Amino acid sequence: MNSTNYDACPECDLLLKPAQLKIGEKAHCPRCGLLLSRPRKQSIERTFALSITGFILFFPSVLLPMMGITVLGDANTGTLLSGVIALFNENMWPVAIVVFLASIMFPLVHISLSLLISGHLYFKRSNRYLVTWMRWMYHLDEWIMLEVYMLGIIVACVKLMAIAPLKFGWGLYAFIALIIITTLLTSNLDNRLFWQRIEQLRKENNNAS
């Protein structure tokens, strides 16, 4: 058996024949179900651009007020980060940790890894941690819950609007834009192309050394 005609699944190491896919088609590992390939036009360039946009949007979505409410003359505004702090202050630290990880830490790490990987591939710069970064990025896909947190915000808005008028802040608009960007980021990433380019860079680096 000529091993050069097979690719190993990044998740379970199952050897598979490379599928010849067209734009829009998908290939999954038959053993672990990992998405192996989803060809996209200019995937590296799009992923790099979306990663930069997501990284820029992340900080206003976390730090700027998402909404404000005035009750009996007392005005209050809330940010994503202040919500986590409020949960800690109410001794709901297990919930606070989950919200912090799923809505702040994991999305930031995921976008940062995507930016690092696509940036190295775009500028054709090898790095010994590229494989590790790719594996971590796949695992984090399952833990990012921005959409779930957005659903919680919508439910909170509906309930609060019955008490007093709400004022939406730039943090909420940035958060909505961040959800759109992270969705586009996931859908535009061509796994197979990324692994091929990483392997190509590794071989070029070994030949040069």
Side-chain angles (χ1 to χ4, degrees):
M1 179 177 67
N2 185 2
S3 61
T4 58
N5 294 331
Y6 291 81
D7 289 336
C9 172
E11 184 69 22
C12 65
D13 295 328
L14 177 66
L15 294 179
L16 299 163
K17 285 187 176 180
Q20 302 299 322
L21 301 176
K22 298 178 181 178
I23 300 297
E25 295 180 337
K26 299 179 183 179
H28 293 266
C29 174
R31 184 159 69 184
C32 68
L34 180 72
L35 179 62
L36 298 173
S37 181
R38 183 170 50 188
R40 290 286 188 275
K41 290 182 179 179
Q42 298 179 318
S43 178
I44 294 175
E45 292 81 358
R46 289 174 183 267
T47 303
F48 187 43
L50 289 170
S51 300
I52 294 174
T53 307
F55 195 77
I56 294 173
L57 284 172
F58 178 83
F59 295 98
S61 67
V62 172
L63 301 175
L64 292 180
M66 301 186 80
M67 66 181 70
I69 185 171
T70 302
V71 179
L72 300 176
D74 186 16
N76 291 289
T77 59
T79 67
L80 191 59
L81 188 59
S82 67
V84 175
I85 295 173
L87 289 172
F88 268 109
N89 293 335
E90 294 294 331
N91 293 324
M92 300 174 63
W93 56 268
V95 179
I97 292 174
V98 172
V99 173
F100 175 75
L101 292 177
S103 63
I104 297 179
M105 179 60 72
F106 289 157
L108 176 60
V109 175
H110 184 271
I111 292 173
S112 300
L113 289 175
S114 176
L115 179 59
L116 283 171
I117 296 168
S118 60
H120 277 80
L121 298 184
Y122 181 77
F123 292 107
K124 299 180 180 178
R125 298 288 300 273
S126 179
N127 190 299
R128 61 176 178 170
Y129 296 111
L130 278 173
V131 173
T132 304
W133 291 342
M134 281 291 289
R135 289 180 181 271
W136 272 101
M137 191 169 65
Y138 286 134
H139 292 306
L140 286 176
D141 272 340
E142 304 170 358
W143 291 93
I144 298 176
M145 302 179 184
L146 292 177
E147 297 85 354
V148 176
Y149 198 82
M150 189 68 227
L151 182 61
I153 293 174
I154 294 173
V155 173
C157 287
V158 172
K159 291 184 176 180
L160 290 173
M161 288 177 69
I163 302 174
L166 291 179
K167 182 180 180 181
F168 300 113
W170 287 106
L172 181 61
Y173 302 129
F175 189 74
I176 294 172
L178 181 63
I179 292 176
I180 296 172
I181 291 298
T182 53
T183 302
L184 291 174
L185 188 60
T186 302
S187 63
N188 278 278
L189 198 147
D190 185 344
N191 295 332
R192 179 175 174 79
L193 175 63
F194 272 57
W195 282 113
Q196 286 178 339
R197 292 294 178 84
I198 290 173
E199 180 63 18
Q200 183 181 355
L201 287 175
R202 188 185 66 80
K203 290 180 178 178
E204 291 176 358
N205 187 55
N206 290 337
N207 294 333
S209 60

